[in-house]
């Protein structure tokens, strides 16, 4: 099992989760985070820290696509271990449907 970040992180990018991760397996894109599924130790401490409820275990239905999505971007985006402010539109975008098609950016974040 592993945990993955899903589309509700897009356009929010809360980073509360990165501070509690014991193995630093979060990676930062311009407008979301991902978890490297091969580095995640399945401890689950990040899941309750996410205000947007965007972190899910891969054992939930239809998570295979998100596992591969997280792996793909974790291999090209920089690692993030320090909490940052969420995106300015985070509150307004939290829970919005179809965020991947509307807002997702492949551009890396700055990490840190």
């Amino acid at each position: 099992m592993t945990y993955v970040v899903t589309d509700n992180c897009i356009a929010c990018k809360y980073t509360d989760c990165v501070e509690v991760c014991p193995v630093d397996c979060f990676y930062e894109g311009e407008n979301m985070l991902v978890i490297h599924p091969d580095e995640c130790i399945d401890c689950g401490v990040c899941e309750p820290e996410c205000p947007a409820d965007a972190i899910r275990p891969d054992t939930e239905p239809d998570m295979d696509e998100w596992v591969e999505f997280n792996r793909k971007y974790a291999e090209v985006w920089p690692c993030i271990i320090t909490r940052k402010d969420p995106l300015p539109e985070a509150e307004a975008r939290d829970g919005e449907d179809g965020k991947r098609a509307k807002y997702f950016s492949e551009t890396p974040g700055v990490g840190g």
Side-chain angles (χ1 to χ4, degrees):
M1 188 177 88
T2 188
Y3 285 84
V4 293
V5 179
T6 61
D7 64 342
N8 207 39
C9 184
I10 299 168
C12 290
K13 198 166 86 169
Y14 292 103
T15 58
D16 306 63
C17 52
V18 303
E19 285 195 316
V20 298
C21 181
V23 293
D24 302 335
C25 64
F26 281 88
Y27 293 82
E28 182 185 15
E30 178 180 38
N31 67 356
M32 77 172 295
L33 304 176
V34 293
I35 295 171
H36 197 304
D38 298 331
E39 296 174 1
C40 176
I41 60 170
D42 315 325
C43 68
V45 296
C46 59
E47 186 180 23
E49 296 299 317
C50 180
D53 195 32
I55 300 173
R56 313 301 315 152
D58 71 342
T59 53
E60 288 187 0
D62 303 317
M63 285 294 126
D64 290 344
E65 177 184 354
W66 284 107
V67 171
E68 291 312 310
F69 179 92
N70 276 245
R71 179 178 284 112
K72 176 181 177 178
Y73 292 102
E75 291 178 1
V76 295
W77 289 349
C79 186
I80 179 171
I81 59 172
T82 306
R83 186 181 181 283
K84 299 177 181 181
D85 289 335
L87 295 175
E89 68 270 19
E91 237 178 86
R93 299 275 185 243
D94 189 3
E96 185 177 328
D97 289 333
K99 288 173 34 167
R100 185 171 171 187
K102 293 182 209 173
Y103 309 117
F104 175 67
S105 170
E106 292 185 357
T107 303
V110 295

